[in-house]
Amino acid sequence: MSAGQATYVLLALAWVFVPVYVASGIVTMPEYLGRRFGGERIRTYLAVLSLILSIFTKVISGLAAVIYTDTLQTVIMIVGAIILTITAFNKIGGYSNLESVYSVAVPSKIIPNSTCHLPRQDAMHLFRDATTGDLPWPGMTLGLTILGHGGSGHSGRP
C-alpha cells in the first residue's frame, strides 16, 4: 500500500472510530482497548509492538526512506499548523480578541467539584511566577538544559 492509499484508509478509519471515541470520552487507542478488554497490559503490549514495528520498518526500508518520510511529514504538519492557526485567529477575531475570548471559555465537559477546567488568570503570560506557578519555568529552562547535556558538564564519554 502506498502512502497515498494509506491516507484514504486512515481517513476512513477516522470516520468510523472517532465518533465512537468521542461518545465514550476516550482520547487514545490504548485507552479504548484498555476499557474494552480491561487491564493495563494492553498499553505495554502496544508500546512494545510499536517499537518492534518501528525498528523492523527502519531495517527493511532503509534509513533514506525514513528520512524522506519524516521530512514530508514535518512539512505537512507545519503547513497544517499554519493553516489551523490562521483559521482559529480568523474565527475569534484576531490575536487581540484571543485573551478576552479565552478568559470566558469553559469546556462543555467538566470534572465536578474541580477548577481544572477554568482558565487561569496568568494563562496568557509566558513566564509565570517562578515559585507559585504550576510550571516552574526556571527549573524547566535551566534544569532541562543541564540534564540534556549530561548533567556533569561533559558529553558522557569517559
Side-chain angles (χ1 to χ4, degrees):
M1 178 181 297
S2 71
Q5 293 169 330
T7 302
Y8 295 113
V9 171
L10 287 174
L11 287 173
L13 289 173
W15 190 264
V16 172
F17 286 111
V18 167
V20 175
Y21 290 160
V22 171
S24 61
I26 292 175
V27 179
T28 64
M29 174 78 110
E31 187 178 0
Y32 172 75
L33 293 174
R35 283 193 190 175
R36 173 70 175 89
F37 299 111
E40 291 292 319
R41 291 183 303 174
I42 193 75
R43 291 178 190 229
T44 305
Y45 171 75
L46 286 175
V48 170
L49 181 64
S50 296
L51 182 63
I52 290 171
L53 288 175
S54 174
I55 291 170
F56 182 73
T57 303
K58 289 178 183 176
V59 168
I60 296 299
S61 66
L63 190 56
V66 174
I67 291 171
Y68 291 130
T69 304
D70 287 350
T71 303
L72 177 64
Q73 289 175 349
T74 301
V75 169
I76 290 171
M77 286 190 288
I78 289 173
V79 168
I82 290 170
I83 292 170
L84 180 64
T85 302
I86 291 170
T87 304
F89 281 146
N90 286 338
K91 291 261 186 197
I92 62 169
Y95 186 78
S96 59
N97 200 27
L98 175 65
E99 190 167 351
S100 62
V101 171
Y102 180 75
S103 65
V104 296
V106 177
S108 59
K109 289 187 176 185
I110 61 170
I111 300 171
N113 301 324
S114 171
T115 60
C116 68
H117 61 277
L118 298 175
R120 294 173 49 102
Q121 294 298 322
D122 61 350
M124 301 307 277
H125 298 283
L126 181 61
F127 294 114
R128 297 180 181 171
D129 188 88
T131 56
T132 61
D134 60 345
L135 180 65
W137 64 266
M140 294 294 291
T141 305
L142 302 172
L144 288 178
T145 303
I146 292 169
L147 287 175
H149 290 289
S152 60
H154 61 83
S155 64
R157 295 185 205 129

